[in-house]
């Protein structure tokens, strides 16, 4: 079952920190955590082996502007977009010093092996994306009708049908001072 729902307009005065959530599962969006129209701070957490048969294997964000700092997302699965995190309608979700490893967005069209943004804004600062997989686009990160800023991040060994590291569809992506290495998507025929 989902572990945590934050959906009453909480702001950044709500700080959730310092523990592990393992095996959070849901048949709805957000396997472990649902954030709806709220802007909490999630800090120094580990979300591992979480899953959803919908979007956001570990976390689903709808509206608000949450801050994730020092959070590790590992081995999470979604059977839609956002293997670890799916974001929709957010005005500025920020990930700082986060690790995304071994997450998967499974089935077609499943985009964003680690993170999928749809009609949202997101920022990634000093994050590490490693060994994530999307059956659709964006092995690590997929933007759809969104804007994203990526600064000082590393993308290594991610894989997708299109855009091994990053996919941006009808979106703007600003990537600066980042390392993109050994990501894969099938070659064009």
């Amino acid at each position: 079952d989902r572990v945590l729902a934050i959906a009453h307009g909480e702001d950044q005065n709500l700080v959730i920190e310092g523990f592990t959530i393992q095996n959070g599962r849901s048949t709805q969006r957000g396997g472990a955590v649902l954030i709806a129209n709220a802007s909490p701070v999630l800090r120094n957490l580990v979300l591992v082996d979480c899953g959803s048969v919908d979007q956001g294997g570990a976390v689903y964000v709808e509206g608000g502007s949450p801050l994730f700092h020092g959070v590790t997302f590992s081995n999470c699965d979604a059977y839609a977009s956002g293997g670890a995190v799916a974001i929709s309608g957010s005005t500025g979700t920020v990930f700082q010093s986060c690790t995304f490893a071994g997450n998967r967005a499974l089935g077609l069209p499943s985009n964003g092996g680690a993170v999928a943004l749809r009609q949202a804004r997101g920022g990634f600062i000093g994050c590490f994306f490693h060994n994530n997989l999307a059956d659709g686009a964006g092995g690590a990160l997929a933007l759809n009708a969104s804007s994203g800023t990526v600064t000082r991040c590393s993308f290594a060994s991610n894989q997708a049908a299109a855009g091994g590291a990053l996919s941006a569809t009808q979106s703007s992506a600003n990537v600066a001072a980042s390392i993109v290495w050994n990501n894969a998507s099938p070659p064009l025929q």
Side-chain angles (χ1 to χ4, degrees):
D1 291 341
R2 182 183 297 129
V3 176
L4 184 61
I6 305 165
H8 299 288
E10 293 86 352
D11 62 17
Q12 292 187 341
N13 288 315
L14 174 62
V15 177
I16 298 168
E17 69 179 314
F19 59 91
T20 297
I21 298 175
Q22 185 169 3
N23 296 318
R25 302 263 172 212
S26 177
T27 58
Q28 299 174 349
R29 296 173 176 167
V33 179
L34 170 67
I35 300 172
N37 300 312
S39 300
V41 175
L42 290 89
R43 186 169 45 215
N44 300 326
L45 300 175
V46 175
L47 288 94
V48 62
D49 297 326
C50 297
S52 170
V53 297
D54 202 331
Q55 299 177 55
V59 177
Y60 184 77
V61 176
E62 185 169 12
S65 300
L67 168 64
F68 295 84
H69 186 272
V71 178
T72 297
F73 300 89
S74 178
N75 299 321
C76 298
D77 298 329
Y79 289 88
S81 294
V85 181
I87 303 166
S88 178
S90 168
T91 58
T93 299
V94 175
F95 295 87
Q96 190 171 26
S97 302
C98 292
T99 299
F100 299 88
N103 302 292
R104 304 180 303 166
L106 303 169
L108 291 174
S110 294
N111 302 320
V115 182
L117 283 86
R118 187 168 197 284
Q119 297 177 332
R121 285 188 305 144
F124 301 86
I125 303 160
C127 294
F128 181 57
F129 296 85
H130 177 260
N131 202 32
N132 299 289
L133 168 73
D135 284 345
L141 179 58
L143 286 73
N144 186 336
S146 297
S147 64
T149 302
V150 177
T151 307
R152 295 185 324 274
C153 292
S154 295
F155 296 84
S157 302
N158 301 288
Q159 185 174 355
L166 171 69
S167 170
T169 304
Q170 297 177 340
S171 298
S172 65
N174 182 356
V175 180
S178 295
I179 297 169
V180 180
W181 178 73
N182 197 38
N183 299 281
S185 60
L188 296 174
Q189 298 297 324

